[in-house]
Amino acid sequence: MNPVTGLRELPPLMRGLVGAYVVSGVTHLVRPQVFEPTIPPQLPKARELVYLSGVAELVCAVGLVNPATRRAAGYASAALLVAVLPANVEMARQAQASVRRRSTPGKQARLAGMLARVPAQWPLIKASLDIARR
């Protein structure tokens, strides 16, 4: 399997998702402390959950690129996006609270990005399911 060929076979939105999974997955593994505050306090072992989600993102990225595993990876990707939605909502909530405490252009830009992430997950979930159903 040639990963470049496999990547080219994907629609542009899915290529972007693969890239986002790779960057985010590596960041989860290298700097887990960035994501730990987004883990709901009811869930145990925040650091382990951050590592797990990072590995899941990398597995989905590889699976989406490989035509032999693309169907399963599409379903797994949709499930992963649903699973991390609460963390993205929490990140947006935290960014909003930070702006309320002391607004700066950087904090406002972060808030805008975090707010945009939440509804952006729906087309990514749909695209993941579309890939799985091909």
Side-chain angles (χ1 to χ4, degrees):
M1 186 237 9
N2 181 337
V4 173
T5 302
L7 192 58
R8 284 188 191 139
E9 293 172 355
L10 292 172
L13 183 62
M14 292 308 292
R15 282 188 292 232
L17 181 59
V18 167
Y21 276 158
V22 170
V23 170
S24 182
V26 169
T27 305
H28 276 72
L29 299 176
V30 175
R31 295 188 37 96
Q33 66 276 14
V34 170
F35 299 96
E36 284 180 49
T38 68
I39 303 296
Q42 302 87 345
L43 296 177
K45 301 183 180 181
R47 171 102 10 141
E48 288 83 351
L49 290 172
V50 170
Y51 286 142
L52 179 63
S53 62
V55 169
E57 287 177 328
L58 293 171
V59 167
C60 283
V62 171
L64 288 167
V65 170
N66 185 346
T69 57
R70 191 169 289 152
R71 178 182 170 98
Y75 285 121
S77 176
L80 178 61
L81 289 164
V82 170
V84 300
L85 186 57
N88 288 331
V89 170
E90 178 61 18
M91 288 170 64
R93 191 198 64 72
Q94 290 174 5
Q96 189 172 35
S98 179
V99 166
R100 276 196 209 119
R101 283 190 301 276
R102 181 171 177 265
S103 183
T104 66
K107 287 182 177 185
Q108 290 173 355
R110 177 170 163 69
L111 174 59
M114 294 299 108
L115 290 173
R117 272 178 88 154
V118 175
Q121 296 220 204
W122 301 116
L124 294 173
I125 292 167
K126 182 185 180 314
S128 296
L129 292 172
D130 289 347
I131 284 292
R133 294 176 183 145
R134 281 189 182 176

mmCIF file of all heavy atoms in Angstrom, residues 26-61:
data_model
loop_
_atom_site.group_PDB
_atom_site.id
_atom_site.type_symbol
_atom_site.label_atom_id
_atom_site.label_comp_id
_atom_site.label_asym_id
_atom_site.label_seq_id
_atom_site.Cartn_x
_atom_site.Cartn_y
_atom_site.Cartn_z
ATOM 1 N N VAL A 26 -0.356 13.055 17.485
ATOM 2 C CA VAL A 26 1.016 13.225 17.967
ATOM 3 C C VAL A 26 1.038 14.194 19.148
ATOM 4 O O VAL A 26 1.702 13.944 20.159
ATOM 5 C CB VAL A 26 1.943 13.698 16.828
ATOM 6 C CG1 VAL A 26 3.297 14.138 17.363
ATOM 7 C CG2 VAL A 26 2.111 12.594 15.785
ATOM 8 N N THR A 27 0.274 15.278 19.055
ATOM 9 C CA THR A 27 0.237 16.246 20.155
ATOM 10 C C THR A 27 -0.315 15.604 21.426
ATOM 11 O O THR A 27 0.186 15.864 22.521
ATOM 12 C CB THR A 27 -0.597 17.477 19.767
ATOM 13 O OG1 THR A 27 -0.077 18.042 18.552
ATOM 14 C CG2 THR A 27 -0.568 18.537 20.849
ATOM 15 N N HIS A 28 -1.341 14.769 21.287
ATOM 16 C CA HIS A 28 -1.888 14.067 22.452
ATOM 17 C C HIS A 28 -0.803 13.230 23.146
ATOM 18 O O HIS A 28 -0.790 13.131 24.371
ATOM 19 C CB HIS A 28 -3.032 13.129 22.042
ATOM 20 C CG HIS A 28 -4.360 13.778 21.915
ATOM 21 N ND1 HIS A 28 -4.673 14.631 20.891
ATOM 22 C CD2 HIS A 28 -5.466 13.701 22.680
ATOM 23 C CE1 HIS A 28 -5.927 15.040 21.032
ATOM 24 N NE2 HIS A 28 -6.428 14.488 22.126
ATOM 25 N N LEU A 29 0.068 12.630 22.362
ATOM 26 C CA LEU A 29 1.082 11.748 22.930
ATOM 27 C C LEU A 29 2.291 12.517 23.473
ATOM 28 O O LEU A 29 2.891 12.108 24.466
ATOM 29 C CB LEU A 29 1.547 10.733 21.879
ATOM 30 C CG LEU A 29 0.454 9.810 21.347
ATOM 31 C CD1 LEU A 29 1.003 8.911 20.248
ATOM 32 C CD2 LEU A 29 -0.185 8.995 22.447
ATOM 33 N N VAL A 30 2.630 13.632 22.847
ATOM 34 C CA VAL A 30 3.816 14.387 23.230
ATOM 35 C C VAL A 30 3.522 15.424 24.314
ATOM 36 O O VAL A 30 4.359 15.679 25.180
ATOM 37 C CB VAL A 30 4.430 15.068 21.982
ATOM 38 C CG1 VAL A 30 5.593 15.972 22.347
ATOM 39 C CG2 VAL A 30 4.873 14.018 20.978
ATOM 40 N N ARG A 31 2.336 16.012 24.276
ATOM 41 C CA ARG A 31 1.957 17.050 25.241
ATOM 42 C C ARG A 31 0.565 16.774 25.812
ATOM 43 O O ARG A 31 -0.366 17.559 25.622
ATOM 44 C CB ARG A 31 2.004 18.432 24.587
ATOM 45 C CG ARG A 31 3.427 18.820 24.166
ATOM 46 C CD ARG A 31 3.571 20.240 23.696
ATOM 47 N NE ARG A 31 2.782 21.204 24.391
ATOM 48 C CZ ARG A 31 3.204 21.962 25.406
ATOM 49 N NH1 ARG A 31 4.420 21.842 25.840
ATOM 50 N NH2 ARG A 31 2.404 22.848 25.979
ATOM 51 N N PRO A 32 0.403 15.673 26.505
ATOM 52 C CA PRO A 32 -0.931 15.296 27.000
ATOM 53 C C PRO A 32 -1.526 16.317 27.964
ATOM 54 O O PRO A 32 -2.746 16.445 28.060
ATOM 55 C CB PRO A 32 -0.699 13.949 27.685
ATOM 56 C CG PRO A 32 0.751 13.936 28.029
ATOM 57 C CD PRO A 32 1.431 14.716 26.932
ATOM 58 N N GLN A 33 -0.681 17.069 28.641
ATOM 59 C CA GLN A 33 -1.173 18.053 29.603
ATOM 60 C C GLN A 33 -2.030 19.129 28.942
ATOM 61 O O GLN A 33 -2.868 19.750 29.610
ATOM 62 C CB GLN A 33 -0.016 18.682 30.388
ATOM 63 C CG GLN A 33 0.941 19.533 29.584
ATOM 64 C CD GLN A 33 2.050 18.763 28.854
ATOM 65 O OE1 GLN A 33 2.006 17.552 28.721
ATOM 66 N NE2 GLN A 33 3.038 19.493 28.375
ATOM 67 N N VAL A 34 -1.873 19.338 27.650
ATOM 68 C CA VAL A 34 -2.695 20.318 26.935
ATOM 69 C C VAL A 34 -4.157 19.876 26.934
ATOM 70 O O VAL A 34 -5.066 20.708 27.016
ATOM 71 C CB VAL A 34 -2.178 20.486 25.484
ATOM 72 C CG1 VAL A 34 -3.136 21.309 24.642
ATOM 73 C CG2 VAL A 34 -0.784 21.099 25.487
ATOM 74 N N PHE A 35 -4.384 18.568 26.849
ATOM 75 C CA PHE A 35 -5.741 18.047 26.696
ATOM 76 C C PHE A 35 -6.368 17.572 28.009
ATOM 77 O O PHE A 35 -7.577 17.400 28.080
ATOM 78 C CB PHE A 35 -5.736 16.893 25.685
ATOM 79 C CG PHE A 35 -5.281 17.301 24.322
ATOM 80 C CD1 PHE A 35 -3.968 17.118 23.920
ATOM 81 C CD2 PHE A 35 -6.159 17.913 23.440
ATOM 82 C CE1 PHE A 35 -3.541 17.514 22.662
ATOM 83 C CE2 PHE A 35 -5.745 18.308 22.186
ATOM 84 C CZ PHE A 35 -4.432 18.113 21.793
ATOM 85 N N GLU A 36 -5.566 17.345 29.018
ATOM 86 C CA GLU A 36 -6.102 16.823 30.280
ATOM 87 C C GLU A 36 -7.228 17.670 30.870
ATOM 88 O O GLU A 36 -8.207 17.104 31.371
ATOM 89 C CB GLU A 36 -4.979 16.641 31.300
ATOM 90 C CG GLU A 36 -4.141 15.419 31.009
ATOM 91 C CD GLU A 36 -3.031 15.237 32.010
ATOM 92 O OE1 GLU A 36 -3.295 15.296 33.221
ATOM 93 O OE2 GLU A 36 -1.888 15.029 31.569
ATOM 94 N N PRO A 37 -7.154 19.004 30.815
ATOM 95 C CA PRO A 37 -8.247 19.793 31.406
ATOM 96 C C PRO A 37 -9.597 19.615 30.703
ATOM 97 O O PRO A 37 -10.628 19.986 31.250
ATOM 98 C CB PRO A 37 -7.765 21.240 31.281
ATOM 99 C CG PRO A 37 -6.295 21.155 31.105
ATOM 100 C CD PRO A 37 -6.043 19.853 30.402
ATOM 101 N N THR A 38 -9.597 19.047 29.508
ATOM 102 C CA THR A 38 -10.862 18.873 28.783
ATOM 103 C C THR A 38 -11.556 17.560 29.134
ATOM 104 O O THR A 38 -12.687 17.336 28.694
ATOM 105 C CB THR A 38 -10.641 18.928 27.258
ATOM 106 O OG1 THR A 38 -9.898 17.786 26.842
ATOM 107 C CG2 THR A 38 -9.908 20.196 26.858
ATOM 108 N N ILE A 39 -10.893 16.716 29.890
ATOM 109 C CA ILE A 39 -11.491 15.441 30.283
ATOM 110 C C ILE A 39 -12.477 15.708 31.424
ATOM 111 O O ILE A 39 -12.102 16.300 32.431
ATOM 112 C CB ILE A 39 -10.419 14.434 30.741
ATOM 113 C CG1 ILE A 39 -9.363 14.215 29.644
ATOM 114 C CG2 ILE A 39 -11.052 13.121 31.172
ATOM 115 C CD1 ILE A 39 -9.879 13.588 28.385
ATOM 116 N N PRO A 40 -13.723 15.290 31.263
ATOM 117 C CA PRO A 40 -14.695 15.513 32.347
ATOM 118 C C PRO A 40 -14.198 14.909 33.652
ATOM 119 O O PRO A 40 -13.630 13.806 33.654
ATOM 120 C CB PRO A 40 -15.960 14.792 31.851
ATOM 121 C CG PRO A 40 -15.809 14.732 30.365
ATOM 122 C CD PRO A 40 -14.330 14.620 30.108
ATOM 123 N N PRO A 41 -14.403 15.616 34.762
ATOM 124 C CA PRO A 41 -13.881 15.133 36.042
ATOM 125 C C PRO A 41 -14.493 13.802 36.486
ATOM 126 O O PRO A 41 -13.906 13.102 37.305
ATOM 127 C CB PRO A 41 -14.228 16.250 37.026
ATOM 128 C CG PRO A 41 -15.244 17.089 36.356
ATOM 129 C CD PRO A 41 -15.082 16.892 34.878
ATOM 130 N N GLN A 42 -15.631 13.431 35.922
ATOM 131 C CA GLN A 42 -16.268 12.160 36.286
ATOM 132 C C GLN A 42 -15.494 10.962 35.722
ATOM 133 O O GLN A 42 -15.676 9.843 36.174
ATOM 134 C CB GLN A 42 -17.714 12.094 35.757
ATOM 135 C CG GLN A 42 -18.605 13.186 36.241
ATOM 136 C CD GLN A 42 -18.532 14.447 35.375
ATOM 137 O OE1 GLN A 42 -17.638 14.638 34.563
ATOM 138 N NE2 GLN A 42 -19.497 15.333 35.579
ATOM 139 N N LEU A 43 -14.671 11.213 34.720
ATOM 140 C CA LEU A 43 -13.919 10.120 34.104
ATOM 141 C C LEU A 43 -12.575 9.957 34.810
ATOM 142 O O LEU A 43 -11.875 10.938 35.049
ATOM 143 C CB LEU A 43 -13.701 10.395 32.618
ATOM 144 C CG LEU A 43 -14.965 10.461 31.775
ATOM 145 C CD1 LEU A 43 -14.625 10.813 30.334
ATOM 146 C CD2 LEU A 43 -15.719 9.148 31.824
ATOM 147 N N PRO A 44 -12.205 8.726 35.102
ATOM 148 C CA PRO A 44 -10.929 8.498 35.790
ATOM 149 C C PRO A 44 -9.757 8.529 34.812
ATOM 150 O O PRO A 44 -9.941 8.388 33.599
ATOM 151 C CB PRO A 44 -11.104 7.099 36.378
ATOM 152 C CG PRO A 44 -12.027 6.418 35.420
ATOM 153 C CD PRO A 44 -12.965 7.501 34.921
ATOM 154 N N LYS A 45 -8.576 8.723 35.343
ATOM 155 C CA LYS A 45 -7.331 8.581 34.581
ATOM 156 C C LYS A 45 -7.301 9.459 33.336
ATOM 157 O O LYS A 45 -7.197 8.965 32.212
ATOM 158 C CB LYS A 45 -7.083 7.119 34.245
ATOM 159 C CG LYS A 45 -6.983 6.238 35.482
ATOM 160 C CD LYS A 45 -6.654 4.812 35.134
ATOM 161 C CE LYS A 45 -6.567 3.997 36.415
ATOM 162 N NZ LYS A 45 -6.233 2.628 36.184
ATOM 163 N N ALA A 46 -7.343 10.753 33.536
ATOM 164 C CA ALA A 46 -7.386 11.704 32.419
ATOM 165 C C ALA A 46 -6.201 11.524 31.476
ATOM 166 O O ALA A 46 -6.361 11.513 30.262
ATOM 167 C CB ALA A 46 -7.441 13.139 32.945
ATOM 168 N N ARG A 47 -5.004 11.386 32.027
ATOM 169 C CA ARG A 47 -3.815 11.264 31.170
ATOM 170 C C ARG A 47 -3.912 10.033 30.280
ATOM 171 O O ARG A 47 -3.628 10.095 29.079
ATOM 172 C CB ARG A 47 -2.550 11.207 32.037
ATOM 173 C CG ARG A 47 -1.292 10.862 31.295
ATOM 174 C CD ARG A 47 -0.299 11.895 30.911
ATOM 175 N NE ARG A 47 -0.362 13.217 31.380
ATOM 176 C CZ ARG A 47 0.704 13.933 31.731
ATOM 177 N NH1 ARG A 47 1.905 13.378 31.724
ATOM 178 N NH2 ARG A 47 0.587 15.180 32.081
ATOM 179 N N GLU A 48 -4.359 8.914 30.826
ATOM 180 C CA GLU A 48 -4.491 7.701 30.030
ATOM 181 C C GLU A 48 -5.543 7.868 28.933
ATOM 182 O O GLU A 48 -5.366 7.374 27.819
ATOM 183 C CB GLU A 48 -4.840 6.504 30.923
ATOM 184 C CG GLU A 48 -3.688 6.036 31.794
ATOM 185 C CD GLU A 48 -3.528 6.831 33.099
ATOM 186 O OE1 GLU A 48 -4.203 7.862 33.288
ATOM 187 O OE2 GLU A 48 -2.706 6.417 33.929
ATOM 188 N N LEU A 49 -6.621 8.575 29.238
ATOM 189 C CA LEU A 49 -7.646 8.823 28.219
ATOM 190 C C LEU A 49 -7.110 9.724 27.105
ATOM 191 O O LEU A 49 -7.447 9.536 25.932
ATOM 192 C CB LEU A 49 -8.895 9.440 28.859
ATOM 193 C CG LEU A 49 -9.699 8.503 29.742
ATOM 194 C CD1 LEU A 49 -10.796 9.265 30.474
ATOM 195 C CD2 LEU A 49 -10.290 7.361 28.925
ATOM 196 N N VAL A 50 -6.275 10.677 27.462
ATOM 197 C CA VAL A 50 -5.654 11.536 26.443
ATOM 198 C C VAL A 50 -4.752 10.691 25.549
ATOM 199 O O VAL A 50 -4.797 10.807 24.313
ATOM 200 C CB VAL A 50 -4.877 12.693 27.101
ATOM 201 C CG1 VAL A 50 -4.039 13.440 26.070
ATOM 202 C CG2 VAL A 50 -5.832 13.647 27.802
ATOM 203 N N TYR A 51 -3.932 9.832 26.144
ATOM 204 C CA TYR A 51 -3.079 8.951 25.345
ATOM 205 C C TYR A 51 -3.919 8.048 24.448
ATOM 206 O O TYR A 51 -3.619 7.873 23.257
ATOM 207 C CB TYR A 51 -2.187 8.082 26.239
ATOM 208 C CG TYR A 51 -1.043 8.803 26.899
ATOM 209 C CD1 TYR A 51 -0.672 8.489 28.195
ATOM 210 C CD2 TYR A 51 -0.308 9.772 26.228
ATOM 211 C CE1 TYR A 51 0.392 9.127 28.820
ATOM 212 C CE2 TYR A 51 0.754 10.420 26.845
ATOM 213 C CZ TYR A 51 1.104 10.091 28.136
ATOM 214 O OH TYR A 51 2.159 10.716 28.742
ATOM 215 N N LEU A 52 -4.963 7.484 25.006
ATOM 216 C CA LEU A 52 -5.835 6.591 24.237
ATOM 217 C C LEU A 52 -6.448 7.314 23.044
ATOM 218 O O LEU A 52 -6.474 6.778 21.934
ATOM 219 C CB LEU A 52 -6.928 6.015 25.140
ATOM 220 C CG LEU A 52 -7.922 5.077 24.481
ATOM 221 C CD1 LEU A 52 -7.227 3.825 23.969
ATOM 222 C CD2 LEU A 52 -9.029 4.705 25.456
ATOM 223 N N SER A 53 -6.937 8.528 23.265
ATOM 224 C CA SER A 53 -7.550 9.257 22.147
ATOM 225 C C SER A 53 -6.500 9.630 21.101
ATOM 226 O O SER A 53 -6.782 9.628 19.897
ATOM 227 C CB SER A 53 -8.325 10.482 22.637
ATOM 228 O OG SER A 53 -7.477 11.402 23.275
ATOM 229 N N GLY A 54 -5.278 9.923 21.532
ATOM 230 C CA GLY A 54 -4.215 10.208 20.563
ATOM 231 C C GLY A 54 -3.889 9.008 19.702
ATOM 232 O O GLY A 54 -3.745 9.112 18.476
ATOM 233 N N VAL A 55 -3.787 7.846 20.334
ATOM 234 C CA VAL A 55 -3.538 6.614 19.579
ATOM 235 C C VAL A 55 -4.714 6.343 18.634
ATOM 236 O O VAL A 55 -4.513 5.973 17.470
ATOM 237 C CB VAL A 55 -3.288 5.421 20.530
ATOM 238 C CG1 VAL A 55 -3.290 4.094 19.780
ATOM 239 C CG2 VAL A 55 -1.974 5.621 21.281
ATOM 240 N N ALA A 56 -5.935 6.543 19.113
ATOM 241 C CA ALA A 56 -7.117 6.320 18.273
ATOM 242 C C ALA A 56 -7.088 7.239 17.047
ATOM 243 O O ALA A 56 -7.433 6.806 15.934
ATOM 244 C CB ALA A 56 -8.394 6.539 19.081
ATOM 245 N N GLU A 57 -6.669 8.478 17.235
ATOM 246 C CA GLU A 57 -6.589 9.387 16.087
ATOM 247 C C GLU A 57 -5.563 8.902 15.068
ATOM 248 O O GLU A 57 -5.822 8.921 13.854
ATOM 249 C CB GLU A 57 -6.239 10.804 16.562
ATOM 250 C CG GLU A 57 -7.390 11.476 17.265
ATOM 251 C CD GLU A 57 -7.055 12.836 17.817
ATOM 252 O OE1 GLU A 57 -5.897 13.075 18.217
ATOM 253 O OE2 GLU A 57 -7.976 13.674 17.841
ATOM 254 N N LEU A 58 -4.424 8.444 15.548
ATOM 255 C CA LEU A 58 -3.394 7.950 14.628
ATOM 256 C C LEU A 58 -3.838 6.674 13.914
ATOM 257 O O LEU A 58 -3.600 6.513 12.715
ATOM 258 C CB LEU A 58 -2.082 7.733 15.382
ATOM 259 C CG LEU A 58 -1.433 9.018 15.903
ATOM 260 C CD1 LEU A 58 -0.267 8.692 16.833
ATOM 261 C CD2 LEU A 58 -0.984 9.904 14.757
ATOM 262 N N VAL A 59 -4.513 5.797 14.639
ATOM 263 C CA VAL A 59 -5.021 4.563 14.022
ATOM 264 C C VAL A 59 -6.062 4.903 12.956
ATOM 265 O O VAL A 59 -6.051 4.323 11.859
ATOM 266 C CB VAL A 59 -5.591 3.609 15.095
ATOM 267 C CG1 VAL A 59 -6.394 2.480 14.475
ATOM 268 C CG2 VAL A 59 -4.466 3.057 15.963
ATOM 269 N N CYS A 60 -6.946 5.841 13.251
ATOM 270 C CA CYS A 60 -7.952 6.248 12.256
ATOM 271 C C CYS A 60 -7.277 6.855 11.025
ATOM 272 O O CYS A 60 -7.680 6.574 9.894
ATOM 273 C CB CYS A 60 -8.944 7.241 12.859
ATOM 274 S SG CYS A 60 -10.175 6.479 13.937
ATOM 275 N N ALA A 61 -6.260 7.673 11.237
ATOM 276 C CA ALA A 61 -5.554 8.290 10.103
ATOM 277 C C ALA A 61 -4.964 7.223 9.189
ATOM 278 O O ALA A 61 -5.163 7.256 7.966
ATOM 279 C CB ALA A 61 -4.458 9.231 10.608
#
